[in-house]
Amino acid sequence: GAQKAGTTYLFHQVAQHPNVATPLTKELHFFDDNYSRGLDWYLGHFPRADETSLLTLEASPGYLFHPHALHRLAKDLPGVRVVVLLRDPTKRAYSHFLHERRLGFEPIEDFSAALDLEEERIAPDFARLVSHPEEPGFAWRHFSYMARGEYLEQLRRCHEIFGKDRVLVLRSEEMFADPLAALAASIEFAGLP
């Protein structure tokens, strides 16, 4: 899902299912940041297939936004099912901004000023990322407040790569208003009892 859209919450809810096994850490960021480490590195974070019949999951909120991650995911895990969480783009952007301020990465104190500078700040990183997928760049990662909330193209790409039948789109606002319905939809979509 989108960053700051509730992926951690949903991950922990689904992970409580008795037929689900989790990786060593929630956000492996393999298909966006760590792809050069190789598929064995990624798979090493999960229980061995011959040791369990459990379904595994992971949640890395950068996959939807990264221009190469979904293609990599489809190539390396051809049967994967994808759950996408989307949050109101304005609220998501502001939450992202506050997150970067808390971490000390965002030196600009005014949200509006940060938005005004976003395109200028992230454009060089994005241009480099297209031809050098392993170098997302600091600004692209930390200051892409509006760009990450431009969901239409991200969802189109996701549906083109996986097909609509293998993509479940949930709205964060609806998930938090009715968490059991979102959990039930996720469990059913994953084929879990």
Side-chain angles (χ1 to χ4, degrees):
Q3 181 186 31
K4 310 309 290 175
T7 53
T8 299
Y9 174 80
L10 186 60
F11 174 87
H12 288 298
Q13 295 305 307
V14 174
Q16 293 181 48
H17 192 286
N19 294 30
V20 169
T22 60
L24 298 173
T25 183
K26 176 192 147 251
E27 294 184 22
L28 297 173
H29 288 284
F30 174 67
F31 294 101
D32 55 0
D33 296 345
N34 293 305
Y35 198 68
S36 63
R37 293 178 181 232
L39 190 58
D40 287 341
W41 177 89
Y42 178 71
L43 296 175
H45 287 83
F46 296 92
R48 288 173 36 140
D50 59 346
E51 293 177 354
T52 181
S53 61
L54 301 177
L55 183 72
T56 58
L57 75 148
E58 74 126 318
S60 293
Y63 291 171
L64 185 64
F65 182 57
H66 192 283
H68 304 287
L70 297 179
H71 291 286
R72 294 168 173 174
L73 181 60
K75 178 179 76 74
D76 292 339
L77 302 175
V80 72
R81 294 180 147 305
V82 178
V83 177
V84 176
L85 270 170
L86 302 178
R87 181 178 180 187
D88 174 286
T90 304
K91 292 177 181 175
R92 194 223 65 78
Y94 188 62
S95 179
H96 181 182
F97 171 77
L98 294 177
H99 178 75
E100 298 301 333
R101 290 282 302 150
R102 271 191 307 274
L103 294 175
F105 294 131
E106 176 57 83
I108 298 172
E109 294 181 15
D110 179 67
F111 180 53
S112 181
L115 293 180
D116 289 343
L117 292 172
E118 178 174 337
E119 179 62 29
E120 177 184 327
R121 293 163 94 187
I122 71 169
D125 285 355
F126 184 74
R128 185 177 57 252
L129 181 62
V130 171
S131 58
H132 296 87
E134 301 303 325
E135 301 174 23
F138 183 85
W140 182 84
R141 178 185 312 280
H142 295 284
F143 307 143
S144 50
Y145 307 122
M146 290 185 297
R148 287 179 188 266
E150 295 171 353
Y151 301 134
L152 184 58
E153 189 54 41
Q154 295 174 53
L155 285 176
R156 279 185 183 153
R157 184 173 63 238
C158 193
H159 285 141
E160 287 171 7
I161 293 169
F162 299 104
K164 289 186 178 185
D165 60 323
R166 290 187 22 227
V167 178
L168 173 64
V169 179
L170 300 173
R171 291 187 57 233
S172 298
E173 294 80 5
E174 292 172 2
M175 177 182 71
F176 287 119
D178 190 352
L180 291 179
L183 179 59
S186 300
I187 287 173
E188 180 181 343
F189 176 72
L192 291 165

